[in-house]
Amino acid sequence: MASFTLHGIPVSRGIAIGRAHLLTPAALDVKHYLVPEEQLEAEVKRLQDAIAEVHRGLQALWTDLPRDAPTELGAFIDVHALILSDPLISEAPLDIIRSRHYNAEWALVTQIDELSAQFDEIEDEYLRERKADIQQVAERVLKVLMGTAQLQPAPVTTDAYQPQMIVVAHDISPADMLQFRDRSFIGFVTDVGGQNSHTAIVARSLDIPAAVGMSQASQLIEQDDWVIIDGDAGVVIANPSPLVLEQYRARQVTLQKARKKLLKLKKTPAITLDGTPITLLANIELPDDCPGALEQGAAGVGLFRSEFLFMGRAGHAHRIPTEDEQFEQYRKAVVAMKGRPVTIRTLDIGADKPLDQTEHTALNPALGLRAIRYCLAEPQLFLTQLRAILRASAYGKVRLLIPMLAHAFEIDQSLAMIEQAKAQLREAGHKFDEKVDVGAMIEIPAAALALPMFVRRMNFLSIGTNDLIQYTLAIDRVDYEVAHLYNPLHPAILQLIAMTISAGHKAGIDVAVCGEMAGDVKLTRLLLGMGLREFSMHPAQLLAVKQEILASDLTKITPQTRKILRAMEPAEIAEAVERLGV
Ligand code: PEP
Ligand code: MG
């Protein structure tokens, strides 16, 4: 097989070497995990039971058919029953479970995808249309499966049934990415996507090499092809030659060694050469990320993206997690952080994080009813979340963070709703921290240009550079066609960040950066020079940033940064940033 190389956007560092596993959009909608050997027959039975239940359902439909029902309806039920009895549907997926260790849903969808591809080749239109029937039958079975208990995924081992697989897909939504947390896969490649899309952010937090914006990857790469992902360069090599494979394996080993070495810094306080202490916090998506954050020496959580608790809830009794369900999750994070502060951001739904995959109604979702705008339009949902977060504040230090604020009335309404949630809790006799700190994300240029409005009302600020860049430079963060315009060193961006840090400090309140810039070691000195003392990032980046801090001298960097902030030529800025502190 000929080797070829694709260039795209690097999103998550490191090198992954494995076999391609192509996932179609249909396959992405279901859970994927590998089933341990000893549970295979139970999984086979789960699928058999689901198929039997659909059979019974179809029979019941038949019996309940009114006498005057059109004949097509009966025929339609017959066709579905026939399809369901066909060994290609009722038996082939069982073999996939046994041979490839896929969970039932994944096995079924894999088989349906293979059948669908065969149907596409058929000339006869009547037969070709049966594809839709097959898919409908599969959906019936999937629906039943979703309601049944799922097995625990197999732990990642090097067993024969756990080949090192790399996902290749046209696109992966943040919610889909989230279900790969069990680490059945060692890397991700997608055709579309931007560097700071939430899909990329989740890949980074999983700390698994990934590259997006690979244009035709899902068409060019074939199932089971050998693939190398260079997550630092955004390069994907398919069918590499033995020599190239060897080179990358050697690089992989070097990188792993360097990472191991960094772990020695875990307990070292993050203090610059001139003695300035810096706070390094973690960004998390779910409470289960907390132990990993502590392992990397995080001083707390600077951004808990709570919206991930609201995603991928198909099959749950409630589409939106209840107050108690949320409270348990927030408390879990607070307890796991053992007294360290946990900054919980209220629901930032919308744009590339729809609550429901089918919800794509906004014309321009990034500029639409997103984050706090959505919450203020859904006061009951917002109050429920606020009560759940406040209740968790009885178990440790909690800070509330509000995303996407731009208007004074939005701040005031949010604060009023927090007061309302507190009053409700008092009435219900729940304990909470009466003095819980409330902060604003500064991620809309209008906010960065109207800081007095914020510092007057808020206890702290957190700069969301991902959106600040998206909105200032007018580039959709999910659109790979404009990804080359993403530039954190654009003078306008630097001005907005510097203004926010200095306005916050003048007002005596904390300012953090929690966007992806905080975890980029190439920008650590620049942010320090602007006066930043609080960084929040994916745990995987924390120690590398600490290493940079330990070698930084603010007495040198601060005046040099002042000069950079006066520069307006990108080349001049880029060069000066590289030389900072030297
Ligand atoms: C940001 O916008 O920089 C941020 C931290 O929030 P999110 O990436 O979740 O939009
Ligand atoms: Mg944001």
Side-chain angles (χ1 to χ4, degrees), residues 241-471:
S241 67
L243 189 69
V244 171
L245 206 53
E246 220 26 67
Q247 283 170 344
Y248 274 95
R249 283 205 201 281
R251 265 191 61 196
Q252 210 175 18
V253 172
T254 317
L255 283 174
Q256 277 158 358
K257 275 193 190 148
R259 281 198 169 199
K260 244 194 177 151
K261 222 169 125 197
L262 270 182
L263 271 176
K264 291 200 182 119
L265 295 180
K266 178 183 160 181
K267 293 209 169 115
T268 312
I271 298 177
T272 58
L273 283 175
D274 54 288
T276 310
I278 308 296
T279 307
L280 296 181
L281 304 164
N283 290 356
I284 64 165
E285 275 91 43
L286 292 171
D288 287 345
D289 295 331
C290 289
L294 288 177
E295 233 161 75
Q296 302 295 317
V301 170
L303 173 64
F304 177 171
R305 288 183 162 97
S306 69
E307 53 276 10
F308 283 92
L309 295 177
F310 290 65
M311 293 180 193
R313 290 183 58 84
H316 279 73
H318 307 277
R319 198 171 74 110
I320 306 264
T322 61
E323 178 180 326
D324 282 345
E325 275 178 298
Q326 288 187 56
F327 161 64
E328 283 306 331
Q329 297 295 319
Y330 303 139
R331 184 178 65 163
K332 194 171 166 193
V334 172
V335 171
M337 291 310 287
K338 302 179 180 149
R340 296 169 183 82
V342 177
T343 314
I344 304 175
R345 181 176 70 183
T346 58
L347 189 63
D348 183 357
I349 216 74
D352 66 331
K353 290 178 289 192
L355 198 50
D356 189 316
Q357 301 264 21
T358 53
E359 258 177 34
H360 279 297
T361 45
L363 286 177
N364 205 335
L367 302 181
L369 200 63
R370 192 192 147 183
I372 191 61
R373 303 168 178 185
Y374 183 93
C375 288
L376 293 177
E378 297 279 346
Q380 288 316 321
L381 175 140
F382 193 36
L383 277 170
T384 304
Q385 180 176 39
L386 291 173
R387 285 193 303 270
I389 298 175
L390 285 165
R391 282 170 61 190
S393 72
Y395 296 83
K397 173 89 183 141
V398 168
R399 305 198 300 175
L400 257 166
L401 180 59
I402 317 283
M404 283 277 285
L405 289 165
H407 303 270
F409 76 85
E410 288 172 330
I411 312 177
D412 292 338
Q413 278 181 12
S414 304
L415 293 173
M417 290 191 70
I418 294 170
E419 286 313 312
Q420 195 180 340
K422 284 182 178 174
Q424 290 170 343
L425 289 180
R426 269 182 225 115
E427 196 159 308
H430 283 297
K431 280 198 216 116
F432 61 92
D433 176 5
E434 288 278 356
K435 294 208 181 77
V436 67
D437 280 340
V438 183
M441 295 276 298
I442 301 295
E443 52 184 348
I444 297 183
L449 293 166
L451 289 157
M453 211 161 82
F454 286 82
V455 296
R456 227 174 272 153
R457 295 169 164 88
M458 289 298 191
N459 304 113
F460 68 97
L461 304 177
S462 192
I463 308 176
T465 52
N466 310 334
D467 280 316
L468 191 62
I469 295 173
Q470 152 162 278
Y471 296 124

Side-chain angles (χ1 to χ4, degrees), residues 32-35 43 46 101-103 106 150-151 153 182 184:
H32 300 79
Y33 49 90
L34 294 166
V35 178
E43 191 68 356
R46 194 163 79 91
H101 288 244
Y102 291 1
N103 59 306
W106 187 8
Q150 286 176 354
L151 298 168
D182 61 48
S184 335

